[in-house]
Amino acid sequence: MQGDRSSATQRRPLLWMALVLLVVVLLAMLIWLAGRYEVSQIQNRLERDAADVAADVRAVFMRNSQSLQALPDGQANAAAWSAEAAAMLRQRRELVRIERRDPALRLLAQVDTPFRAPVFDRLGRDVAQAEFAQACTTARRHNGAAYASSYFAPSMDGLGVEVMDLCIPLETGGRLGAYLVATYSLHEVLGNLATGPHTRGYEMAFTEGDGTRLAMRVLPRRGNRVFTAQHLLDLPGTNLVLRLDSWRGTPDLFPNVLTALVAAMSLALLSVMALLGKDARRRLKAERDLADALAFRKAMEDSLVTGLRARDLQGRITYVNPAFCLMVGFRFEELLGHGIPAPYWPPEFVGEYQQRQAIRMAGNLPPREGYESVFMRKDGTRFPVLIIEAPLINAQGQQAGWMSAFLDISEQRRIEELSRTSQDRLQATARLATVGEMASLLSHELNQPLAAISSYATGSLNLLQQDGDVGPGLRADMALAMQRIAQQAERAGKVIKSVHDFVRRRDQARAPIAPQALLDDIFPLINLQARKLSVRVQIELEPDLPPVICDGTMVEQVLLNLARNAMQAMDHGAVVDRLLRIQVGRVRGAGAERWIEFRVSDLGVGIAPEVQQQLFTPFFTTKDEGMGLGLSLCRTVVEQHGGAMVFEPNQPQGTLFRFTLPVAPAQHQPDLSD
């Protein structure tokens, strides 16, 4: 069957092509025959007009011959003859000369036309004597008028005219008394016929038998095709050929109404056939597209793991895809047309599901994100599903039912349980990592206050071991050392608490603190290490700086770390001028009034390019005893406060670290007016 359909599909274009070709051939033949008929009509009309014009020419010649014979006798009254001849020349412009000759053809009298110069002035009349002599001989023999062959008579203006002589014998008392010779201008003969009803629009000419033109009347040519008709003028003594040329355009493609009507109907038929062919092609393309769409939809539905189900407004199943059948274990035939309750509903949930379906059929839309339910396979096993429903809208824009998508979430539930177990294990591991991180932070941050406590304790022992009485000065030094030890011990406690809060990511207690107070708290520790390393400390603060909102302990640790790193960077034999500079000032630029900038610079050897890329990386260090957490923690503390930390080369040498802290809001700033 598929082969027959394919053969029919292949034959259909051939049939259409044959039909179109047949119609085109018939239309072309019709137009060609109509054109041929139109040409024949034009030629026939031209032939008829040529015959009519030839008859008119003969009538003119006959009338003129009779008028010439009616002229008065020239021998009796020469003046009357000349007057009549002149009057005749004025009336008949085709005649240019009338002569009376004796039987020996000697000229007796002559009259020339008044409309032009005498035609024989240039060469004389004797040049053409042989022609009219032959005509007169013929006329005498036949006892009637005879015509001579035409000849060209040049004129004084360099032009000339083609003329033809008519000889009429005149008898008196049964004897030849004289000859009457009239000269015709062939051009004027054609000109006098121009107003005739049969000559309009034609180009006329007198020609010889071989086609040589003797005289012609030229008209403007109004076409690109010539139609010609010739008619023989059999005159006594000579023959002339009258030729009519009709210049016309090529006959119209549709020369008459009937042909145009048939052609229009044929074109309409072709147009209808073209439209039918186009419609058939569109229909065939639509059928192919529909078949492809159905095949694509079938392939897509077969490859889906999501179950699809369609129901009408009464709750009957109208469509299910293979994935849904595989999900519930029922065949397509078992589900199609099944109503409520569905065979895959667990018996214990039938009442609940029926109530839910009643709400759905009432038009209440389900949640867009879907809802969970429990289905039952054909073997009785239950499994959870996620249902997503939407109204099923037909081509008329009306709701025809409901479309549902089902996802078997059994595997998802199992994965969620495994994920939950893994999360518990990860949390336990994270807590262990946090303990390790806290230990590292504590060991790093407590190093400075404990070192200070050790230094003050050693100094106190040295004072106690001195010989002599305990004087007021020694007591004062001992009291100061004990006070410093207590301060550093308290500082160590604060560090432990701050690091503990930092590791647990708790919000630290932040308060407005003056930049001067931050520097005053860490200056003794900085000064203690500076004396050991022979470093000069220079602190510069802009006047009237507002307080910053921060955790003072953590910010002090940042300053201490940066100052210690700067001093250690200058602990090198190549560094002569060991200067540690700490600067505090306002940030310049738009929005700068909200920030205070801290700058710590040294005159050390600087930071190598390969070290700059990893400078803030945790556990990266260039020191043998370092842990690689100092700068990483410093930047983290600054960023937690909303600021930023950067570094750059110092001029003329060394490194400059800069970080910013936010200015405390106006309502949190202390009143310093007292």
Side-chain angles (χ1 to χ4, degrees):
M1 182 177 237
Q2 186 69 23
D4 296 342
R5 184 180 302 172
S6 178
S7 300
T9 304
Q10 293 177 357
R11 287 197 303 269
R12 186 180 301 172
L14 296 178
L15 294 176
W16 277 104
M17 290 176 61
L19 181 58
V20 170
L21 182 61
L22 178 60
V23 173
V24 170
V25 170
L26 291 176
L27 180 61
M29 290 182 62
L30 175 64
I31 296 174
W32 181 77
L33 291 175
R36 295 287 299 174
Y37 175 76
E38 182 70 12
V39 170
S40 65
Q41 290 291 99
I42 295 174
Q43 187 65 38
N44 291 336
R45 185 166 58 251
L46 184 60
E47 295 285 350
R48 291 193 303 270
D49 290 342
D52 293 339
V53 172
D56 292 342
V57 172
R58 289 192 190 96
V60 168
F61 285 163
M62 182 63 69
R63 184 176 62 251
N64 289 342
S65 178
Q66 294 174 355
S67 298
L68 289 171
Q69 291 178 1
L71 288 176
D73 186 3
Q75 292 180 355
N77 191 351
W81 181 88
S82 298
E84 290 291 334
M88 187 174 182
L89 289 175
R90 286 193 297 270
Q91 294 175 0
R92 314 287 173 88
R93 300 188 62 166
E94 63 271 13
L95 294 172
V96 295
R97 185 184 180 98
I98 299 176
E99 299 173 341
R100 286 185 69 253
R101 291 182 177 268
D102 61 10
L105 298 180
R106 290 189 294 271
L107 181 64
L108 299 177
Q110 69 176 23
V111 180
D112 289 306
T113 180
F115 300 109
R116 61 177 301 146
V119 295
F120 300 112
D121 282 356
R122 182 176 180 182
L123 298 180
R125 182 63 168 138
D126 294 338
V127 176
Q129 186 173 359
E131 282 78 6
F132 69 79
Q134 180 66 32
C136 290
T137 302
T138 303
R140 177 64 182 157
R141 186 169 57 247
H142 291 90
N143 195 24
Y147 292 88
S149 299
S150 66
Y151 57 91
F152 182 77
S155 59
M156 298 299 293
D157 57 3
L159 298 177
V161 63
E162 189 76 17
V163 296
M164 181 179 66
D165 292 330
L166 168 65
C167 185
I168 301 175
L170 300 176
E171 293 183 357
T172 303
R175 291 187 304 106
L176 177 65
Y179 288 102
L180 186 64
V181 179
T183 304
Y184 280 95
S185 170
L186 296 183
H187 181 76
E188 292 295 336
V189 172
L190 295 177
N192 290 337
L193 297 176
T195 57
H198 306 295
T199 62
R200 294 175 183 175
Y202 294 142
E203 185 177 280
M204 295 186 299
F206 286 122
T207 67
E208 294 181 351
D210 59 357
T212 303
R213 298 196 184 198
L214 303 176
M216 63 182 300
R217 187 192 68 178
V218 180
L219 295 178
R221 297 179 178 181
R222 301 181 181 275
N224 54 5
R225 183 172 180 179
V226 60
F227 293 85
T228 301
Q230 294 181 350
H231 201 282
L232 179 64
L233 292 175
D234 189 9
L235 300 175
T238 188
N239 292 321
L240 285 178
V241 177
L242 177 64
R243 174 173 174 171
L244 267 66
D245 292 335
S246 176
W247 287 88
R248 292 173 175 264
T250 303
D252 295 335
L253 185 61
F254 305 110
N256 52 56
V257 177
L258 180 60
T259 305
L261 180 61
V262 174
M265 293 178 62
S266 301
L267 291 176
L269 178 60
L270 284 176
S271 301
V272 171
M273 291 172 59
L275 293 176
L276 288 176
K278 182 177 180 181
D279 183 74
R281 290 193 300 272
R282 291 175 58 186
R283 187 181 298 275
L284 183 60
K285 183 178 182 300
E287 292 176 356
R288 290 175 179 172
D289 293 343
L290 181 59
D292 293 342
L294 290 176
F296 177 75
R297 173 185 170 187
K298 185 68 169 58
M300 182 175 61
E301 292 173 355
D302 292 344
S303 63
L304 282 177
V305 296
T306 302
L308 299 178
R309 179 197 66 190
R311 293 183 299 175
D312 58 18
L313 295 176
Q314 287 72 37
R316 293 186 297 269
I317 298 176
T318 58
Y319 167 79
V320 288
N321 70 335
F324 185 82
C325 296
L326 183 63
M327 187 182 299
V328 298
F330 291 92
R331 292 182 293 107
F332 177 81
E333 295 79 6
E334 296 176 325
L335 296 175
L336 192 64
H338 206 292
I340 298 174
Y344 44 82
W345 285 0
E348 62 272 18
F349 296 129
V350 169
E352 178 184 348
Y353 289 1
Q354 285 181 337
Q355 183 180 4
R356 184 172 62 192
Q357 293 304 317
I359 296 174
R360 187 78 66 251
M361 297 305 170
N364 295 320
L365 294 176
R368 188 64 182 172
E369 64 275 6
Y371 59 92
E372 294 185 11
S373 185
V374 177
F375 279 1
M376 179 182 67
R377 295 188 177 93
K378 192 173 183 179
D379 58 5
T381 58
R382 272 70 168 169
F383 63 98
V385 293
L386 177 64
I387 305 175
I388 302 174
E389 285 189 320
L392 184 61
I393 307 300
N394 59 15
Q396 289 73 35
Q398 299 177 354
Q399 183 177 354
W402 295 88
M403 190 70 192
S404 305
F406 300 88
L407 292 175
D408 186 352
I409 57 177
S410 302
E411 186 66 19
Q412 180 180 345
R413 291 289 179 264
R414 188 181 68 82
I415 294 175
E416 288 177 355
E417 186 63 29
L418 292 176
S419 177
R420 190 178 300 108
T421 304
S422 300
Q423 281 289 97
D424 294 340
R425 293 177 181 175
L426 288 175
Q427 289 179 3
T429 304
R431 285 194 291 271
L432 292 177
T434 301
V435 172
E437 185 180 358
M438 181 181 295
S440 299
L441 289 174
L442 286 175
S443 64
H444 185 274
E445 298 298 336
L446 289 177
N447 185 41
Q448 292 178 353
L450 292 178
I453 291 173
S454 176
S455 298
Y456 285 123
T458 301
S460 300
L461 290 176
N462 292 335
L463 290 175
L464 291 175
Q465 290 176 1
Q466 291 179 0
D467 296 336
D469 296 334
V470 178
L474 182 57
R475 288 192 183 92
D477 291 339
M478 287 293 295
L480 180 60
M482 292 300 105
Q483 184 181 0
R484 296 296 186 187
I485 290 174
Q487 289 177 353
Q488 295 304 319
E490 182 181 0
R491 180 177 182 81
K494 291 182 179 179
V495 168
I496 292 174
K497 183 178 182 304
S498 297
V499 172
H500 182 266
D501 293 340
F502 172 74
V503 172
R504 298 187 64 182
R505 300 295 191 268
R506 290 182 178 176
D507 293 335
Q508 291 92 18
R510 298 177 183 176
I513 303 175
Q516 182 67 53
L518 295 173
L519 296 178
D520 290 343
D521 289 342
I522 64 172
F523 183 75
L525 298 177
I526 295 175
N527 196 29
L528 182 64
Q529 189 171 4
R531 285 200 299 268
K532 292 181 181 180
L533 300 177
S534 301
V535 175
R536 294 184 298 112
V537 180
Q538 181 178 344
I539 298 178
E540 301 175 3
L541 278 84
E542 289 186 9
D544 301 328
L545 289 177
V548 294
I549 185 75
C550 66
D551 183 344
T553 303
M554 298 303 293
V555 174
E556 290 172 4
Q557 289 300 121
V558 171
L559 289 170
L560 282 174
N561 282 334
L562 295 178
R564 183 181 60 185
N565 290 343
M567 288 186 288
Q568 291 176 353
M570 292 184 291
D571 189 14
H572 194 277
V575 179
V576 178
D577 186 9
R578 301 184 178 185
L579 173 63
L580 170 65
R581 176 177 293 177
I582 302 176
Q583 299 169 296
V584 184
R586 293 178 176 85
V587 178
R588 308 301 178 191
E593 66 276 1
R594 299 188 298 109
W595 300 95
I596 295 296
E597 184 180 62
F598 293 79
R599 301 161 60 95
V600 179
S601 60
D602 61 73
L603 297 177
V605 295
I607 302 175
E610 61 273 9
V611 177
Q612 293 179 4
Q613 300 179 358
Q614 307 181 62
L615 193 61
F616 292 107
T617 303
F619 303 107
F620 172 79
T621 181
T622 57
K623 305 174 185 176
D624 296 335
E625 72 282 0
M627 297 179 62
L629 292 173
L631 289 177
S632 175
L633 291 174
C634 289
R635 187 172 68 173
T636 302
V637 169
V638 172
E639 290 177 351
Q640 283 185 346
H641 284 77
M645 175 179 286
V646 295
F647 69 92
E648 60 189 43
N650 189 30
Q651 298 298 332
Q653 67 180 26
T655 306
L656 169 64
F657 280 85
R658 297 185 290 111
F659 67 91
T660 56
L661 292 176
V663 174
Q667 62 270 23
H668 293 159
Q669 295 184 12
D671 188 5
L672 303 178
S673 60
D674 294 339

